[in-house]
Amino acid sequence: MAFPTDVVFPCLNEAEALPGVLAALPSGARAIVVDNGSTDGSAEIARRLGALVIQEPRRGYGSAVHAGLRAATAPVVAFCDADGSFDLTELDRLADPVHRGESDLMFGRRRVGGRGAWPIHARFANTVLLSMVRRRTGLSMHDLGPFRAGRREMLLDLGMEDRRSGYPLELLLRAWRKGLRIGETDVSYRPRTGRSKVTGTVRGTLIAVSDMHRTLRRLA
């Protein structure tokens, strides 16, 4: 890719996926793997493969993502799951509009390729949640996917508080409140490597929906 970008990978037991994920990272991008309590050697694998590894003992998606944001130094920071579900050759679709000054925050809209990539219960929950967001804010977003990129200083200035699954929605709403330019672009989404902790399970999806609904009531 044309511009230097830090890519934050929140990580909990992704030893199987990490070698392929890190190998696919475009040149000019630096991997920051935030280990969130892995017991399968994920941190050691990431370190051996050249990633900057950050330890975040407080469990939660938001905790890991925000620790990575604080550790980043590039002007633009991207975020991506460490499970192999995204095609990192598409990183420029998210990061380049931010680097060029066309957007402050870009979200990847998942386009499913492969059976089981995005279970129907998780897809339905995403649709319902964003319809509520549109009614309350006027934001026309289609996905709150985990592959996104933004201007580091602006993201740090948002005052993010959620450290669980409500983090992506809080990010969107605080950016909207601050008047940031928010964009969306299609990205490929494929079946993950290994066992899912959130959207692949009904229980994980319900927890995420609960966290996000609480965030929506608080900020929109």
Side-chain angles (χ1 to χ4, degrees), residues 18-20 22-23 44-51:
L18 274 172
L22 296 178
E44 291 77 12
I45 291 170
R47 196 174 287 112
R48 187 171 68 245
L49 293 172

Side-chain angles (χ1 to χ4, degrees), residues 103-190:
S103 180
D104 301 314
L105 177 62
M106 290 289 297
F107 282 83
R109 182 183 184 182
R110 287 170 282 189
R111 295 299 192 183
V112 176
R115 186 175 179 181
W118 196 2
I120 189 66
H121 60 269
R123 203 178 311 187
F124 176 74
N126 183 75
T127 299
V128 170
L129 180 69
L130 285 171
S131 69
M132 295 169 66
V133 170
R134 279 192 293 273
R135 286 198 301 271
R136 297 192 187 195
T137 68
L139 280 168
S140 182
M141 297 290 292
H142 301 87
D143 193 6
L144 272 176
F147 197 15
R148 55 186 177 270
R151 202 169 300 283
R152 182 176 65 91
E153 291 297 334
M154 289 184 174
L155 299 185
L156 287 169
D157 286 344
L158 291 178
M160 296 291 294
E161 297 175 357
D162 193 288
R163 294 297 183 265
R164 294 185 5 143
S165 300
Y167 192 97
L169 180 57
E170 183 184 6
L171 180 68
L172 173 65
L173 294 177
R174 286 190 181 275
W176 165 70
R177 281 183 155 193
K178 284 265 192 178
L180 270 60
R181 295 165 299 168
I182 303 168
E184 187 176 46
T185 189
D186 289 352
V187 294
S188 305
Y189 193 53
R190 55 202 181 195

Side-chain angles (χ1 to χ4, degrees), residues 24 32 34-35 59 81 83 90-91 95 100 109 121 124 163 190 208-209 212:
I32 301 176
V34 184
D35 185 62
R59 283 290 183 91
D81 283 350
D83 59 11
E90 298 176 349
L91 177 61
R100 292 193 299 261
R109 182 183 184 182
H121 60 269
F124 176 74
R163 294 297 183 265
R190 55 202 181 195
V209 167
M212 290 189 182

